[in-house]
Amino acid sequence: MSYTIANSCPSCTPCQIKCPTGAIQIKNGEYLIDQGLCNNCEGYFSEPQCIVQCPISSPLPVQAKKGRYKSVSRIETSDELFVNGNNTPFASSMVIWEGCNVLTSAAVLPWEKDNDGALFYQREVKQGRGTMIFRLNDSLESASPEECNYASNISDLKTIDIRSASLHLIFAAYATTLDKPWEQKFIISDQQIEDYLGLDKRKDLSKATKLSLIKTLVQQPSQLRVAVNWPKQGKVEGFTVSESPLWHILDIQHHFQQDDLGCQHLIGLTFTIKPGLWAKYFLNKQGYKRRIAFYQYGSLPKFLLTTVMSIWQQHQGAVRIMLWLLFKSKMGRKQCLTVSTLMRVAYGQGKINQSNLQREHRKRLIRSFESDLEVLNHYGIKAVFDPVSYPETIRPMWVKLADLPDDADEALDFWINDGSQENRVTDAGRRGKWNQLMKARIRNFELPLEWEEQLAKFERKKQQLTNRKSRSKKLSDLTAEQILAARQRQGMSQRALAEKLGKSQSWIRDLERGRFSAKPDDRAILQNVLGLR
């Protein structure tokens, strides 16, 4: 039995090159399989090469598979994420954040061209003292920049699926499970990905469609390459990361099931992936302890992934804001955000500039923004409007209707009273609303409970670390002269102080002579006994 190429064919050449019988042909610009020449690669390969080589596994058997999908032997995958059902740690460094922005907002970011005509996106860091440069590579097998086939046309960026950011975050979560992620790998199956993205509940999608989508989404984050020039930060010296893939796809295993006619049906995928060189500097536990690298992580709520898969098509602006908040909120939950910043995140600076000049674009952008805020509110990400800069008169209609009573009689009274007001709920937007919105602020976003709880844990850890550093610094200022003077002010002998501390008199004498320093626990007791605060 032969195969046929679906309409989703990306029109690349790997399948044609690898076909051993020359069955794949091009007619009128479309790829076709000559069923008279196709023999399932029998006698040449153990697996049909048109499916294996295709980036989305587009070719399908002419006859649909019958019966259940049977389990096949696979290599062991890495442990499951979201063991508590709600969230999991994930790498959250600036490199991962910007990688997420590129995957969600490639079409609206300010790309530039180098001398060779290749597109690149540059992000300044640390007040312009450092940079990150991202490029999009069409080939997954390029080992060095010289071998890359960089995107050179803006239209190339439209091929990036916004849902691929979900796989990028899943990879970032698996990276935190490795001790040395820049050297180690993790293995993930299509079944795990289906669960994380909520695809296992999509009964309207066939198995072949799901596998094709998963294969596409997994590969797109690996097409990103990044070069980093990071300045000195605290005790960590400045460093440079040469251009390399954000994620390496080391292997893709295709799992087939053969039917009674000898035709092989794709029933599963297993991916082996390794984090890029960036992890050595931003996800390095041992390096963090030695103050030569960072170890930056956050908490990834599972509902974010399933929400992206639900709203990506109609509300891409909401997806961009939501994933941007995933990283932004880790820096502090109560940060005030301007509407102009959120619009730039959701739609790009280009659309804002266009709206500044044309009234119709302004009206459309305002409608999109208010609709996206409503979608976020529906999923538990609720904007808290600043009452001064974002008054009720310019708030979205859905906000104004939130107080509408459910009871019919009470609702009637509501509308009667509203009709007598100077500013009615249903009044058209006021003149100058755009200019007001550009100055308006959202105090913060109330987040779903499981997200809030994790952020609260991070803030407590951060505060405990700050307190320990402050306490350590305070204790370290306890000099021999201070101890001697404090003991004498208390009218206490060396022997009396030693008894209170459970130490010997000679220990107190040597301490006051500066022969050694007390350990942190002993310094804390000394401060308490001697009244040093």
Side-chain angles (χ1 to χ4, degrees):
M1 181 180 292
S2 179
Y3 295 86
T4 183
I5 295 179
N7 295 331
S8 57
C9 171
S11 298
C12 53
T13 59
C15 62
Q16 187 185 32
I17 294 172
K18 284 289 186 178
C19 180
T21 61
I24 299 178
Q25 302 170 4
I26 304 176
K27 292 183 180 180
N28 299 324
E30 295 183 356
Y31 282 72
L32 304 171
I33 296 179
D34 187 329
Q35 297 186 22
L37 295 176
C38 179
N39 71 340
N40 299 332
C41 294
E42 188 175 345
Y44 297 95
F45 299 97
S46 60
E47 300 173 338
Q49 292 302 291
C50 57
I51 297 177
V52 172
Q53 298 299 327
C54 178
I56 64 171
S57 295
S58 168
L60 299 170
V62 173
Q63 183 173 319
K65 185 184 180 306
K66 296 180 181 179
R68 294 178 177 272
Y69 286 93
K70 298 178 182 178
S71 60
V72 295
S73 59
R74 303 192 184 196
I75 59 174
E76 185 177 354
T77 60
S78 300
D79 291 339
E80 298 290 329
L81 302 176
F82 306 102
V83 291
N84 64 359
N86 294 326
N87 43 59
T88 189
F90 82 111
S92 61
S93 67
M94 186 68 76
V95 174
I96 297 298
W97 187 355
E98 282 305 317
C100 189
N101 285 341
V102 172
L103 293 170
T104 57
S105 311
V108 300
L109 289 175
W111 293 83
E112 302 174 63
K113 284 192 174 183
D114 61 19
N115 295 333
D116 297 323
L119 291 171
F120 70 92
Y121 165 63
Q122 179 169 302
R123 171 72 156 84
E124 293 186 347
V125 295
K126 300 301 173 184
Q127 294 76 47
R129 293 185 293 120
T131 58
M132 291 185 294
I133 297 177
F134 289 86
R135 297 178 189 270
L136 183 65
N137 179 26
D138 286 341
S139 173
L140 296 175
E141 300 176 357
S142 305
S144 64
E146 290 75 19
E147 300 172 346
C148 290
N149 183 22
Y150 293 119
S152 56
N153 297 315
I154 296 297
S155 59
D156 296 339
L157 305 176
K158 295 179 181 179
T159 61
I160 297 181
D161 192 316
I162 194 170
R163 292 171 290 179
S164 64
S166 296
L167 271 297
H168 171 68
L169 294 175
I170 290 172
F171 295 170
Y174 270 109
T176 61
T177 65
L178 307 175
D179 292 328
K180 293 184 178 181
W182 60 95
E183 295 178 354
Q184 298 170 294
K185 61 188 178 183
F186 59 87
I187 300 172
I188 182 172
S189 70
D190 64 287
Q191 296 166 332
Q192 290 172 307
I193 293 173
E194 277 193 39
D195 174 50
Y196 302 151
L197 300 183
L199 289 174
D200 55 334
K201 297 178 176 63
R202 292 288 304 274
K203 305 305 180 186
D204 58 318
L205 300 178
S206 66
K207 185 67 174 180
T209 301
K210 291 180 183 179
L211 291 174
S212 178
L213 174 61
I214 288 171
K215 190 173 181 180
T216 301
L217 298 183
V218 165
Q219 292 176 104
Q220 289 194 348
S222 305
Q223 291 179 249
L224 279 182
R225 297 178 68 92
V226 62
V228 181
N229 179 23
W230 201 266
K232 179 178 172 26
Q233 183 177 346
K235 294 184 179 180
V236 179
E237 296 295 331
F239 55 83
T240 299
V241 182
S242 58
E243 184 186 301
S244 56
L246 209 57
W247 307 100
H248 299 270
I249 295 185
L250 303 181
D251 182 52
I252 302 178
Q253 286 198 4
H254 300 73
H255 306 288
F256 293 91
Q257 183 178 329
Q258 186 168 303
D259 61 20
D260 295 337
L261 299 175
C263 192
Q264 298 195 64
H265 299 262
L266 182 66
I267 65 169
L269 296 164
T270 302
F271 306 93
T272 303
I273 298 168
K274 187 179 80 168
L277 190 58
W278 61 269
K280 186 174 182 180
Y281 300 90
F282 294 99
L283 198 65
N284 187 336
K285 284 184 180 180
Q286 297 303 318
Y288 174 71
K289 292 177 181 178
R290 291 158 46 205
R291 304 294 185 185
I292 61 172
F294 302 103
Y295 187 75
Q296 299 169 336
Y297 70 98
S299 178
L300 174 64
K302 186 177 183 180
F303 89 91
L304 252 70
L305 303 178
T306 55
T307 300
V308 168
M309 300 302 291
S310 299
I311 68 174
W312 71 276
Q313 200 161 21
Q314 300 297 328
H315 297 282
Q316 294 196 359
V319 170
R320 291 171 185 142
I321 292 174
M322 181 172 59
L323 296 184
W324 185 79
L325 287 173
L326 173 65
F327 296 89
K328 184 69 173 178
S329 60
K330 184 175 177 287
M331 301 166 65
R333 288 179 293 166
K334 303 300 181 183
Q335 294 191 50
C336 198
L337 303 168
T338 62
V339 169
S340 58
T341 295
L342 290 174
M343 282 191 174
R344 176 177 53 79
V345 170
Y347 316 110
Q349 188 62 46
K351 282 198 174 181
I352 295 177
N353 294 341
Q354 196 175 37
S355 298
N356 284 328
L357 300 174
Q358 300 181 36
R359 183 168 179 267
E360 285 304 313
H361 285 289
R362 283 200 293 272
K363 291 169 65 176
R364 282 199 295 268
L365 198 62
I366 290 174
R367 284 197 297 268
S368 295
F369 179 68
E370 293 181 345
S371 175
D372 286 332
L373 283 186
E374 184 177 13
V375 169
L376 291 174
N377 185 79
H378 173 75
Y379 285 96
I381 305 173
K382 301 179 180 181
V384 178
F385 301 96
D386 177 51
V388 177
S389 64
Y390 211 142
E392 292 184 2
T393 53
I394 63 171
R395 291 180 191 175
M397 179 68 71
W398 61 268
V399 176
K400 298 175 183 179
L401 295 177
D403 296 329
L404 184 64
D406 294 328
D407 181 77
D409 292 333
E410 292 179 3
L412 180 61
D413 292 338
F414 174 88
W415 288 116
I416 292 173
N417 293 332
D418 181 71
S420 63
Q421 301 295 322
E422 181 179 349
N423 296 314
R424 292 175 290 273
V425 169
T426 55
D427 284 347
R430 298 176 57 185
R431 180 177 292 275
K433 180 176 179 177
W434 173 260
N435 292 330
Q436 283 186 276
L437 278 175
M438 289 299 98
K439 299 175 183 177
R441 294 176 177 273
I442 291 177
R443 284 186 169 182
N444 61 284
F445 281 87
E446 294 179 356
L447 304 174
L449 182 60
E450 62 268 25
W451 193 351
E452 283 278 8
E453 288 176 346
Q454 290 301 312
L455 288 175
K457 287 181 181 179
F458 276 111
E459 288 183 2
R460 285 197 296 270
K461 286 183 179 179
K462 189 185 297 184
Q463 187 59 46
Q464 289 171 358
L465 181 61
T466 302
N467 292 342
R468 283 200 300 270
K469 287 182 178 178
S470 176
R471 180 167 168 263
S472 176
K473 183 176 180 182
K474 188 175 181 180
L475 292 174
S476 64
D477 292 335
L478 199 59
T479 64
E481 291 78 11
Q482 287 176 315
I483 296 172
L484 174 61
R487 178 179 63 77
Q488 291 175 344
R489 282 197 303 271
Q490 295 280 350
M492 196 182 305
S493 66
Q494 287 183 343
R495 176 176 294 179
L497 178 58
E499 289 176 353
K500 288 195 174 187
L501 296 176
K503 301 287 185 180
S504 66
Q505 184 176 346
S506 61
W507 187 87
I508 298 295
R509 182 179 62 250
D510 291 340
L511 188 64
E512 292 182 347
R513 290 178 179 178
R515 292 181 177 176
F516 65 86
S517 297
K519 294 180 180 179
D521 290 344
D522 291 330
R523 288 201 301 271
I525 298 174
L526 270 170
Q527 278 192 327
N528 186 47
V529 172
L530 297 176
L532 295 171
R533 300 293 179 190

